[in-house]
């Protein structure tokens, strides 16, 4: 394998990179002033971005990106075809039963979007015979997406009587969904439309009305609405605290609507009978700072997942309105047992937990001893899947590992056996035996052991000088599971090893793992990633300076912070929709995500200590005149989560301040939001562009 460490990906000399103007601007808080020469890139009319000077700069950056990347367009096309070749173009989902019908989704060959079908129930998951019929199309996403630059289906809910379907769609990436209602007998789309919603839909049991959540102009889900078909829309619950977001769900028993209002650490739920035409809500238990809870309802009443006694959560049986101190614990968490979720059925309860960092699915029969489902591998990802029927006698769950494609299992409780319903098919071919995976425990600078998942082709060797790509996130308690990626094979087959650093800030080792990477301990996340990179270099998984890195959103913040801390470790970096302007964003209380984010990062408006701490690590604030590796930065003009000006300001300041001539490119999607473009092949093209950039950085484009 060739040594590519001496190679540097520099900016082309024949194409001029855009240079954003510097417009001095200062803010003073707690008697301290910080400068922001690129504050002007935030359109003051946001969320409407109309300032022509800003749009012109973004277009110039996109033009530069296209010009630079077009020189390797052949490689991008090759990568696109490779990744596309691993996707079954006419893929079918696993059918599921709900009420009198059986449902499924499928992609037509070449289609970017799914088509959804149903028919009268024919056969259940384990062979029970029912009257049959032909599959009828109930929603064709491709038709809905026609003539649109962006389309995303939010929710799709069938009325209890089976005659109507409500669905929500976002057509510009802003995550402001419009709800439509369709008569499934006639195919007619009714006049009932609810714009500016979060997308969530729950039907009342009489099938004559539904509930949804309105979003504010600043994109905060705050108001639960009740809409009567052909009639009035009325307010049910309004959350006044701007730091709380509202979500709705239906209990497993289908008897109650749950209105959950929460920030990242504190929750309050209100309950409403779905049979109640009077729309009378009742608080389940009032909000108390740092008390987070989730509830469901079944034959034994309400079950609550709460952290009131155990940071890793426990399950309790509770009554509506009962004081939490009187709840009865039915399944206890512990320091090594992290209870992550649950679902109720008529004859059993399922608990999704993580024991010593390993996913487990626990079955608790109504009659009999509880047991864990035996999994086929030692390291894997497993999670509760689509189980819509309260009366069903099987559990559907999803499974994958670093080398095992996503698999849908049904677990038959009576026979206690796993039935494979689907394994992701890779049409171009995939031989699992050609790849190997490891799980490492890396000691960070403070002595804490950080898990790392690594995968590579069996011909890959340590100390060979081969490239290594390192991915991380580390925020919000969202752990990165050791799961499969068919796109990743394009790197593995080109001599790369691929690693995931399970750093603090995620929840891979429990809720305390999350707490150890937030607020005043945020630097643990960055230090963990840097220390993992150093270990992988020193242990022969990569040569010095031979690691490329990537992360998105809060993972983009991670990228910015580690590039400021130890740029010499990295060959290249990809920052997707990066949350890099932490200080300015947390100082702007009018942004939709700022108040709800204060429990995660701190409130620098009220706290001088929080201000000082965020300022000390904020990636954008701490760019200095030194050498940085080549970078690819992305963003979305309609992104409500990480606003477009964060990647734009990072790119503008970085290009002006850094002392090297390494390549820096930015692409802002002008018709998309946080998740990039819609359509499965459009998303693949963006992956192909990212991989092209990485291969360019390692001089492996031949």
């Amino acid at each position: 394998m060739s040594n590519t460490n001496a190679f540097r990906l520099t900016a082309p000399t024949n194409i001029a990179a855009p240079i954003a103007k510097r417009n001095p601007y200062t803010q003073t808080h707690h008697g301290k002033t910080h400068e922001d020469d690129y504050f002007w890139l935030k359109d003051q009319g946001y969320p409407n971005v109309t300032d022509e000077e800003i749009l012109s700069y973004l277009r110039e950056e996109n033009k530069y990106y296209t010009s630079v990347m077009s020189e390797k367009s052949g490689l991008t096309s090759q990568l696109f075809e490779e990744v596309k070749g691993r996707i079954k173009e006419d893929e079918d989902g696993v059918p599921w039963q709900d009420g009198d019908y059986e449902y499924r989704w499928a992609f037509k060959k070449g289609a970017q979007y799914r088509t959804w079908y149903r028919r009268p129930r024919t056969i259940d998951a384990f062979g029970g015979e029912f009257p049959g019929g032909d599959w009828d199309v109930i929603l064709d996403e491709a038709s809905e997406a026609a003539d649109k630059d962006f389309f995303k289906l939010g929710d799709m809910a069938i009325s209890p009587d089976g005659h109507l379907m409500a669905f929500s769609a976002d057509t510009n990436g802003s995550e402001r969904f419009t709800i439509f209602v369709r008569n499934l007998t006639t195919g007619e789309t009714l006049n009932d439309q609810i714009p500016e919603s979060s997308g969530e839909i729950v039907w009342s049991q009489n099938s004559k009305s539904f509930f949804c959540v309105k979003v504010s102009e600043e994109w905060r889900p705050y108001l639960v609405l009740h809409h009567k078909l052909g009639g009035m829309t009325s307010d049910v619950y309004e959350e006044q605290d701007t730091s709380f977001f509202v979500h709705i769900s239906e209990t497993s028993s289908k008897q109650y609507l749950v209105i959950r209002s929460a920030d990242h650490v504190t929750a309050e739920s209100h309950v409403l009978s779905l049979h109640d035409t009077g729309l009378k809500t009742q608080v389940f238990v009032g909000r108390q700072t740092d008390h987070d809870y989730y509830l469901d309802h079944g034959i034994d009443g309400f079950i609550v997942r709460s952290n009131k006694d155990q940071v890793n959560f426990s399950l309790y049986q509770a009554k509506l309105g009962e004081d939490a101190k009187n709840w009865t614990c039915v399944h206890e968490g512990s320091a090594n047992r992290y209870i992550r979720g649950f679902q109720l059925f008529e004859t059993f309860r399922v608990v999704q937990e993580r024991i010593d960092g390993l996913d487990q699915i626990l079955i608790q029969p109504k009659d009999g001893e509880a047991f864990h489902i035996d999994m086929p591998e030692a390291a894997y990802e497993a999670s509760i899947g689509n189980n819509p029927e309260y009366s069903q006698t099987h559990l559907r769950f999803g499974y994958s590992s670093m080398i095992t494609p996503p698999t849908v299992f049904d677990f038959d409780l009576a026979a206690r056996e796993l039935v494979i319903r689907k394994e992701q098919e890779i049409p171009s071919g995939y031989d699992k035996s050609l790849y190997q995976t490891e799980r490492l425990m890396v000691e960070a600078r403070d002595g804490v052991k950080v898990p790392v998942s690594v995968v590579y082709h069996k011909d890959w060797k340590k100390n060979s000088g081969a490239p290594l790509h390192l991915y991380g996130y580390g925020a919000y308690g969202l752990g990165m599971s050791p799961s499969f990626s068919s796109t990743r094979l394009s790197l593995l087959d080109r001599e790369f090893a691929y690693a995931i650093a399970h750093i603090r800030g995620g929840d891979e080792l429990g809720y305390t793992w999350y707490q150890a990477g937030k607020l005043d301990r945020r630097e643990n996340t960055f230090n963990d990633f840097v220390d993992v990179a150093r270990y992988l270099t020193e242990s022969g998984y990569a040569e010095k300076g031979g690691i490329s890195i990537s992360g998105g959103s809060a993972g983009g913040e991670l990228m910015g912070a580690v590039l400021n801390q130890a740029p010499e470790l990295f060959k290249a970096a990809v920052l997707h929709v990066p949350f890099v302007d932490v200080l300015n964003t947390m100082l702007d209380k009018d942004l939709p995500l700022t108040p709800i984010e204060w429990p995660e990062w701190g409130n620098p408006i009220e706290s001088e200590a929080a201000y000082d701490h965020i300022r000390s690590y904020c990636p954008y604030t701490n760019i200095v005149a030194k050498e940085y590796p080549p970078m690819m930065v992305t963003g979305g003009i309609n992104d409500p989560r990480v606003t477009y000006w964060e990647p734009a300001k990072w790119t503008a300041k970085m290009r002006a301040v850094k002392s090297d001539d390494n390549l820096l490119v930015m692409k802002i999607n002008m018709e998309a939001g946080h998740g990039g473009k819609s359509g499965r092949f459009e998303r693949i093209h963006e992956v192909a562009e990212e991989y092209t950039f990485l291969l360019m950085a390692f001089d492996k484009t031949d």
Side-chain angles (χ1 to χ4, degrees):
M1 297 180 183
S2 61
N3 187 312
T4 60
N5 192 43
F7 174 80
R8 286 192 308 119
L9 179 61
T10 57
T13 57
N14 61 330
I15 307 173
I19 302 297
K21 73 173 185 179
R22 304 179 80 152
N23 187 8
Y25 176 86
T26 61
Q27 289 190 60
T28 301
H29 296 270
H30 311 291
K32 301 170 183 179
T33 299
H34 69 272
E35 299 177 350
D36 185 2
D37 290 349
Y38 301 97
F39 178 83
W40 68 270
L41 283 168
K42 175 189 173 183
D43 193 316
Q44 297 306 302
Y46 180 83
N48 298 311
V49 185
T50 58
D51 187 306
E52 191 52 42
E53 187 175 20
I54 295 171
L55 292 172
S56 177
Y57 168 69
L58 299 179
R59 293 188 195 106
E60 284 299 310
E61 286 287 359
N62 283 348
K63 182 179 178 181
Y64 178 68
Y65 175 92
T66 300
S67 297
V68 171
M69 298 300 292
S70 65
E71 296 184 5
K72 299 298 179 183
S73 59
L75 176 59
T76 302
S77 297
Q78 178 186 343
L79 288 162
F80 173 82
E81 292 300 330
E82 278 181 22
V83 177
K84 184 180 178 183
R86 300 189 192 108
I87 295 176
K88 191 173 188 293
E89 290 203 39
D90 54 351
E91 182 186 6
D92 256 318
V94 181
W96 68 94
Q97 292 76 36
D98 191 7
D100 295 331
Y101 294 90
E102 183 175 36
Y103 297 85
R104 71 179 178 96
W105 58 260
F107 283 101
K108 295 176 183 177
K109 190 167 185 178
Q112 293 261 36
Y113 301 94
R114 289 180 173 91
T115 301
W116 299 78
Y117 303 86
R118 80 169 183 179
R119 66 181 179 183
R121 283 185 81 159
T122 55
I123 302 172
D124 71 10
F126 300 101
E129 296 292 336
F130 294 85
D134 296 329
W135 289 105
D136 295 319
V137 174
I138 59 173
L139 183 65
D140 183 357
E141 290 187 44
S143 295
E144 302 294 335
D147 303 322
K148 297 180 178 68
D149 292 322
F150 184 94
F151 177 84
K152 180 181 179 180
L153 180 67
D155 197 0
M156 186 177 69
I158 308 297
S159 62
D161 64 10
H163 297 321
L164 300 168
M165 174 184 65
F167 68 95
S168 57
D170 170 14
T171 56
N172 62 13
S174 66
E175 300 183 53
R176 298 171 185 271
F177 293 83
T178 298
I179 296 174
F180 304 89
V181 181
R182 187 161 293 165
N183 185 311
L184 294 178
T185 302
T186 66
E188 174 193 8
T189 299
L190 307 185
N191 292 327
D192 302 79
Q193 290 188 16
I194 307 293
E196 301 287 312
S197 84
S198 68
E200 298 167 326
I201 304 164
V202 175
W203 282 94
S204 61
Q205 282 298 302
N206 64 12
S207 299
K208 296 179 180 179
S209 62
F210 61 83
F211 299 87
C212 60
V213 181
K214 188 84 169 175
V215 297
S216 66
E217 183 179 349
E218 299 80 21
W219 188 75
R220 182 175 71 93
Y222 76 104
L223 178 64
V224 178
L225 301 177
H226 175 251
H227 176 72
K228 290 184 179 180
L229 297 179
M232 293 177 54
T233 300
S234 55
D235 298 352
V236 176
Y237 172 82
E238 181 174 359
E239 177 55 61
Q240 300 289 343
D241 189 333
T242 58
S243 68
F244 275 55
F245 279 24
V246 174
H247 297 280
I248 59 173
S249 61
E250 180 184 50
T251 60
S252 294
S253 66
K254 303 186 187 298
Q255 297 301 304
Y256 292 96
L257 173 77
V258 177
I259 301 169
R260 185 173 191 270
S261 188
D263 61 13
H264 290 301
V265 296
T266 302
E268 177 179 86
S269 290
H270 294 249
V271 174
L272 170 69
S273 170
L274 289 171
H275 297 277
D276 180 13
T277 57
L279 305 180
K280 187 176 181 181
T281 64
Q282 186 173 348
V283 65
F284 194 83
V285 66
R287 68 189 69 180
Q288 297 179 3
T289 302
D290 296 330
H291 181 208
D292 194 11
Y293 71 95
Y294 303 79
L295 61 95
D296 196 3
H297 179 267
I299 198 168
D300 293 324
F302 287 99
I303 300 295
V304 186
R305 181 171 76 95
S306 164
N307 66 350
K308 75 182 188 72
D309 300 316
Q310 166 54 244
V311 67
N312 275 336
F313 291 82
S314 294
L315 294 186
Y316 301 86
Q317 191 164 15
K319 295 177 182 177
L320 180 57
E322 182 181 27
D323 192 311
K325 68 182 180 183
N326 296 324
W327 293 352
T328 301
C329 184
V330 295
H331 186 63
E332 190 172 8
S334 65
N336 68 333
R337 181 191 295 273
Y338 176 35
I339 299 176
R340 304 179 62 231
F342 70 104
Q343 187 171 351
L344 305 179
F345 298 88
E346 201 168 61
T347 60
F348 64 101
R349 178 168 62 229
V350 179
V351 182
Q352 184 173 314
E353 54 189 13
R354 193 171 281 157
I355 300 177
D356 294 325
L358 184 65
D359 286 348
Q360 301 281 1
I361 294 180
L362 178 71
I363 305 293
Q364 297 178 319
K366 188 172 176 59
D367 300 311
E369 295 293 321
F371 60 93
H372 287 105
I373 297 176
D374 291 330
M375 301 296 176
E377 294 173 288
Y380 55 86
E381 171 194 41
S383 58
I384 298 171
N386 180 24
N387 298 277
E389 288 204 302
Y390 182 55
S391 61
Q392 67 186 58
T393 57
H394 70 279
L395 175 75
R396 180 161 295 172
F397 68 94
Y399 176 95
S400 79
S401 75
M402 294 288 277
I403 58 175
T404 301
T407 304
V408 178
F409 282 113
D410 280 350
F411 181 76
D412 182 348
L413 267 73
R416 290 203 178 189
E417 65 180 19
L418 286 175
V419 178
I420 296 179
R421 298 303 309 276
K422 177 185 177 181
E423 181 176 276
Q424 179 184 331
E425 183 179 339
I426 301 180
S428 61
Y430 173 68
D431 183 350
K432 178 177 175 178
S433 68
L434 295 179
Y435 304 89
Q436 296 176 354
T437 183
E438 296 180 53
R439 187 170 176 87
L440 311 174
M441 296 300 291
V442 174
E443 185 171 325
R445 63 193 70 179
D446 61 357
V448 172
K449 296 291 183 69
V450 179
V452 182
S453 298
V454 187
V455 63
Y456 43 79
H457 193 279
K458 71 173 186 178
D459 293 335
W460 178 90
K461 304 294 182 187
K462 290 173 70 173
N463 299 303
S464 64
L468 182 139
H469 187 77
L470 179 62
Y471 174 81
Y473 186 73
Y476 302 114
L478 298 176
M480 299 294 105
S481 298
S483 56
F484 184 81
S485 166
S486 64
T487 60
R488 192 167 60 210
L489 297 175
S490 288
L491 294 180
L492 303 186
D493 291 346
R494 286 177 171 80
E495 304 178 342
F496 276 71
Y498 189 102
I500 301 172
H502 304 288
I503 51 184
R504 281 172 281 187
D507 70 346
E508 289 92 335
L509 296 183
Y511 199 81
T512 54
W513 196 247
Y514 160 50
Q515 292 176 318
K518 62 181 292 193
L519 294 172
D520 58 357
R521 293 189 281 175
R522 184 61 184 153
E523 285 99 329
N524 286 338
T525 303
F526 315 139
N527 295 342
D528 285 355
F529 193 89
V530 168
D531 293 346
V532 165
R534 287 201 170 105
Y535 173 87
L536 292 171
T537 301
E538 294 164 0
S539 301
Y541 289 87
E543 63 180 342
K544 187 176 181 180
I547 298 176
S548 60
I549 58 176
S550 66
S553 195
E557 179 223 22
L558 168 70
M559 295 300 103
V562 302
L563 288 172
N564 282 333
Q565 182 183 144
E568 71 282 357
L569 291 175
F570 307 116
K571 191 72 172 176
V574 179
L575 295 80
H576 288 298
V577 291
F579 177 43
V580 284
D581 194 12
V582 186
L583 181 61
N584 286 314
T585 295
M586 290 299 101
L587 286 169
D588 189 346
K589 61 181 177 58
D590 294 326
L591 288 175
L593 287 180
T594 293
I596 198 174
E597 296 286 342
W598 285 330
E600 186 77 17
W601 314 100
N603 183 344
I605 299 173
E606 295 185 355
S607 168
E608 183 177 0
Y611 177 91
D612 290 341
H613 183 238
I614 295 172
R615 185 174 180 173
S616 73
Y617 72 75
C618 173
Y620 172 71
T621 304
N622 287 282
I623 294 173
V624 297
K626 62 182 176 182
E627 293 189 0
Y628 289 85
M631 281 178 247
M632 174 181 177
V633 184
T634 69
I637 195 74
N638 295 323
D639 189 346
R641 298 173 185 263
V642 177
T643 49
Y644 75 88
W645 60 80
E646 299 220 15
K649 289 170 64 175
W650 167 269
T651 302
K653 183 177 180 180
M654 180 63 71
R655 188 171 281 135
V657 173
K658 69 190 182 81
S659 61
D660 60 81
D661 60 352
N662 292 330
L663 181 63
L664 169 59
V665 291
M666 179 179 72
K667 178 182 179 181
I668 298 291
N669 279 313
M670 304 301 279
E671 295 89 22
H674 198 64
K677 292 183 178 179
S678 63
R680 55 177 177 161
F681 300 134
E682 290 291 342
R683 289 193 293 269
I684 290 172
H685 191 269
E686 292 186 332
V687 172
E689 289 182 324
E690 176 184 350
Y691 285 6
T692 297
F693 176 80
L694 295 177
L695 292 169
M696 289 167 62
F698 283 100
D699 195 23
K700 294 178 70 68
T701 58
D702 296 333

